[in-house]
């Protein structure tokens, strides 16, 4: 039974109004406080490198604002008074891969989980139970107290993601790492990078170097574009992995391929390289499916990227292939599925791939129609990215200066007030891997643009992916979001202050 704490803090002690997002599954706070002090230690059990790293991550996020040292070390024997313990022992296996339990008393904090990922997500909850100023990078006044009580928490869906289109406009590794930091804070565990499209090829392929050199040389509007070296891509992947986030690379094909077709004449059916494209039309390009070189190209690209991708997924796009004959498209998808599988990865594709014969391990990403139902009938599982709810490039209102509106206007409430398991007839809870919010960047050029379109709608998607369906409603959420906003401000996030929310 989850009882929410009374909004008015107990008269004797200052506690922070409850503002954790995503909402934990079970919360029972008892009105007392646990103080962080300069003597507070972070203890881990077992003291293996992975848990010590999670302990350091917690300490790194508490030190700047408090100025306290927060030493991190192995838990041995009796716990010193006032310590924070992160432990895998005596944990509840029913919490699963990513669940955790938090027990806070006036004398100490015990964060336990059956697996390290659960400890990492529990650390995000600890951050959000402290005063918002804990997120400041400069020293702030305390007191730094946690509310006493217990939290048992675990995710509803395994897939809780964001997609960033780095093709229409390119964003360098530092921007991606900043985004990863924010995804971790909201317990999101997938970052899908849309690495190629008509306007830009964004990752070096050593066997086809002109894909990046030529295909990565521009972007929408004609700017300088850019691309990741394989070392930079590997660094992004490792940074995400250390935060329990799996990177999903996407090479969109057979459509959305003008950047590749501009880079190598031989990839074109007529043997003539296409001009680079800096506009925003879609559906005009296609690989030449009659030529064997196309499949060598696909094999080389998948092989090189898969080798740098420890995660199990490879996204092959497959959307808007209007310039590809349907029978050729289906044969192509089935052949590429075999190539992806040969490199040990599970194929993901936008919902159109449902026209092809899919392996049970293949995954479809629903975006704008119920074509995904075909795939579900074949036993494929679905990532829910409905353009009418989850497309972060949709304008909030007609007055929104950035973004598009072909799928409609998506205010903060529209992005939150829906459920993946009931949205589409014929697609139910057991067919759904989870949710993902794409940010297409035709009109997004800066980090400030990205943050303004993604926040706060992305936070609502994070809650849909994590929190129980029962008890999740806009009336409660929009008040909690308002109370949460000082945390976004403390992190310097340029978020949209929707008139629908009582911002603090
Ligand atoms: N649809 C295209 C994207 C992008 C988007 C902008 C998908 C799967 C419209 N494909 O969404 O490339 O242009 O909202």
């Amino acid at each position: 039974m989850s009882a929410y704490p009374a909004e008015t803090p107990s008269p004797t002690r200052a506690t922070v109004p409850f503002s954790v997002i995503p909402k934990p599954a079970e919360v029972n706070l008892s009105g007392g406080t646990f103080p962080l002090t300069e003597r507070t230690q972070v203890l881990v059990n077992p003291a293996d490198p992975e848990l010590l790293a999670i302990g350091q991550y917690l300490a790194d996020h508490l030190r700047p604002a408090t100025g306290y040292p927060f030493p991190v070390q192995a838990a041995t024997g009796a716990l010193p008074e006032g310590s924070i313990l992160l432990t895998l022992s005596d944990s509840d296996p029913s919490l699963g891969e990513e669940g955790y339990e938090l027990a806070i008393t006036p004398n100490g904090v015990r964060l336990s989980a059956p697996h390290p990922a659960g400890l990492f997500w529990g650390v995000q909850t600890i951050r959000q139970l402290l005063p918002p100023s804990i997120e400041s990078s400069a020293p702030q006044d305390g007191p730094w107290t946690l509310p006493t009580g217990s939290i048992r928490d675990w995710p509803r869906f395994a897939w809780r993601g964001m997609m960033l289109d780095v093709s229409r406009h390119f964003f360098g590794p530092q921007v991606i790492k900043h985004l990863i930091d924010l995804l971790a804070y909201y317990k999101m565990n997938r970052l899908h990078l849309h690495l190629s499209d008509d306007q830009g090829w964004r990752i070096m392929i050593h066997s086809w170097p002109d894909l990046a050199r030529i295909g990565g040389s521009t972007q929408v509007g004609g700017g300088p574009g850019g691309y990741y070296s394989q070392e930079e891509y590997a660094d992004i992947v490792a940074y995400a992995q250390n935060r329990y986030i799996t990177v999903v690379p996407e090479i969109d094909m057979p459509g959305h391929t003008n950047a590749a077709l501009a880079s190598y004449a031989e990839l074109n059916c007529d043997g003539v390289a296409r001009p680079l494209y800096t506009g925003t039309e879609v559906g005009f390009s296609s690989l030449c499916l009659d030529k064997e070189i196309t499949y060598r190209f696909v094999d080389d690209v998948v092989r090189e990227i898969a080798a740098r991708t420890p995660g199990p997924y490879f996204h092959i796009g497959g959307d808007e292939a209007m310039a590809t004959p349907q029978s050729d498209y289906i044969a192509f998808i089935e052949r590429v599925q075999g190539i992806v599988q040969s490199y040990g990865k599970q194929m993901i594709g936008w919902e159109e791939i449902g026209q092809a014969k899919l392996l049970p391990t293949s995954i479809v990403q629903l975006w704008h129609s119920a074509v995904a139902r075909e795939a579900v009938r074949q036993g494929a599982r679905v990532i829910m990215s409905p353009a009418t709810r989850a497309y972060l490039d949709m304008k909030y209102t007609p007055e929104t200066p950035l973004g598009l509106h072909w799928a409609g206007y998506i205010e903060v409430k529209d992005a939150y007030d829906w459920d993946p398991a009931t949205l589409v007839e014929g697609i139910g809870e057991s067919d759904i891997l989870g949710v993902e919010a794409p940010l297409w960047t035709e009109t997004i050029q800066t980090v400030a643009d990205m943050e303004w379109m993604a926040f706060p709608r992305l936070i609502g998607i994070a809650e849909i992916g994590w929190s129980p369906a029962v008890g999740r409603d806009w009336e409660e959420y929009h008040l909690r979001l308002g109370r949460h906003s000082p945390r976004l401000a403390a992190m310097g996030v340029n978020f949209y202050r929707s008139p629908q929310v009582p911002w603090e």
Side-chain angles (χ1 to χ4, degrees):
M1 179 55 189
S2 78
Y4 270 84
E7 282 323 308
T8 46
S10 59
T12 55
R13 300 175 184 274
T15 54
V16 173
F18 194 80
S19 60
V20 179
I21 298 177
K23 185 171 79 169
E26 296 173 3
V27 178
N28 288 291
L29 301 184
S30 50
T33 57
F34 166 79
L36 298 184
T37 72
E38 61 282 352
R39 291 183 310 285
T40 303
Q41 300 178 42
V42 175
L43 303 174
V44 298
N45 165 38
D48 65 23
E50 184 168 9
L51 263 67
L52 284 166
I54 298 172
Q56 276 303 344
Y57 175 98
L58 171 59
D60 289 347
H61 284 85
L62 301 182
R63 289 183 187 128
T66 60
Y68 301 155
F70 292 107
V72 179
Q73 52 215 14
T76 53
L79 293 183
E81 174 108 359
S83 54
I84 299 174
L85 171 65
L86 278 56
T87 179
L88 296 181
S89 64
D90 305 327
S91 56
D92 176 356
S94 71
L95 288 167
E97 271 301 309
E98 299 184 88
Y100 65 90
E101 249 176 319
L102 194 50
I104 304 173
T105 71
N107 304 318
V109 176
R110 187 176 192 280
L111 169 56
S112 65
H115 300 281
L119 295 178
F120 185 76
W121 301 134
V123 161
Q124 311 313 323
T125 301
I126 289 174
R127 291 171 66 186
Q128 293 198 23
L129 288 170
L130 286 162
S133 51
I134 192 67
E135 297 308 331
S136 167
S137 51
Q140 303 293 315
D141 295 335
W144 303 105
T145 60
L146 284 167
T148 57
S150 67
I151 289 180
R152 261 177 61 81
D153 197 14
W154 64 92
R156 174 185 176 190
F157 291 113
W159 192 289
R160 307 179 304 277
M162 179 185 179
M163 183 213 83
L164 181 64
D165 165 13
V166 294
S167 175
R168 277 50 181 270
H169 282 96
F170 180 64
F171 296 92
Q174 289 318 317
V175 173
I176 307 303
K177 290 180 178 178
H178 168 65
L179 184 59
I180 289 168
D181 290 339
L182 291 168
L183 294 178
Y185 190 63
Y186 292 104
K187 303 189 177 76
M188 301 190 91
N189 63 2
R190 301 283 187 273
L191 173 60
H192 167 181
L193 290 176
H194 186 76
L195 293 167
S196 71
D197 210 297
D198 291 319
Q199 297 87 347
W201 183 282
R202 302 298 181 208
I203 184 166
M204 173 51 73
I205 301 295
H206 296 303
S207 49
W208 298 71
D210 284 346
L211 290 170
R213 288 194 199 126
I214 297 174
S217 65
T218 187
Q219 59 187 13
V220 167
Y227 61 86
Y228 307 116
S229 69
Q230 289 195 9
E231 294 69 24
E232 285 173 322
Y233 173 75
D235 182 42
I236 288 168
V237 168
Y239 189 87
Q241 195 165 26
N242 291 338
R243 288 155 182 79
Y244 297 89
I245 295 170
T246 300
V247 167
V248 179
E250 178 188 352
I251 296 296
D252 203 345
M253 47 183 147
H256 287 274
T257 43
N258 189 76
L261 298 169
S263 305
Y264 286 95
E266 57 270 46
L267 287 177
N268 296 269
C269 284
D270 59 7
V272 177
R274 292 298 179 270
L276 287 168
Y277 179 67
T278 60
T280 57
E281 293 304 312
V282 297
F284 60 85
S285 59
S286 175
L287 292 173
C288 182
L289 305 192
D290 302 338
K291 289 174 127 179
E292 265 314 298
I293 189 171
T294 296
Y295 301 92
R296 186 158 59 74
F297 158 77
V298 171
D299 193 284
D300 289 341
V301 167
V302 173
R303 183 188 67 255
E304 289 197 31
I305 296 174
R308 294 285 197 160
T309 303
Y313 310 108
F314 195 105
H315 200 304
I316 58 95
D319 63 309
E320 298 184 318
M322 285 84 105
T324 310
Q326 190 191 26
S327 58
D328 296 354
Y329 172 86
I330 290 171
F332 175 80
I333 295 298
E334 289 169 1
R335 189 165 172 184
V336 170
Q337 183 175 239
I339 292 172
V340 170
Q341 190 185 42
S342 76
Y343 291 111
K345 304 301 180 188
Q346 284 176 251
M347 182 180 79
I348 304 178
W350 298 102
E351 65 196 18
E352 290 93 323
I353 67 165
Q355 304 168 73
K357 181 96 189 72
L358 300 177
L359 291 168
T361 51
S362 292
I363 299 164
V364 298
Q365 186 163 7
L366 177 146
W367 65 283
H368 77 145
S369 77
V371 164
R373 259 199 299 252
E374 300 307 310
V376 167
R377 286 201 191 101
Q378 295 190 56
R381 286 169 302 162
V382 185
I383 296 165
M384 296 294 283
S385 297
T388 54
R389 299 290 189 160
Y391 267 34
L392 301 174
D393 64 319
M394 290 301 116
K395 292 174 181 291
Y396 291 98
T397 70
E399 288 68 48
T400 304
L402 298 167
L404 307 175
H405 63 280
W406 64 267
Y409 297 105
I410 303 180
E411 248 291 3
V412 175
K413 183 174 189 284
D414 304 315
Y416 181 83
D417 203 8
W418 63 284
D419 192 85
T422 57
L423 187 75
V424 178
E425 180 68 33
I427 298 179
E429 184 101 10
S430 61
D431 303 313
I432 295 169
L433 267 182
V435 290
E436 181 177 296
L439 177 56
W440 300 102
T441 58
E442 281 92 339
T443 64
I444 307 301
Q445 301 186 57
T446 66
V447 176
D449 291 353
M450 183 189 300
E451 291 181 347
W452 203 76
M453 293 300 273
F455 295 88
R457 291 179 294 187
L458 182 65
I459 305 178
I461 300 290
E463 177 146 317
I464 293 170
W466 179 278
S467 303
V470 174
R472 185 175 71 79
D473 73 73
W474 170 256
E475 287 318 307
E476 184 275 330
Y477 171 76
H478 85 293
L479 301 176
R480 183 162 32 96
L481 175 58
R483 291 196 300 272
H484 180 93
S485 59
R487 300 180 191 281
L488 286 168
M491 292 189 286
V493 175
N494 175 45
F495 66 98
Y496 164 67
R497 290 175 179 270
S498 166
Q500 297 177 333
V501 178
W503 302 107
E504 269 199 11

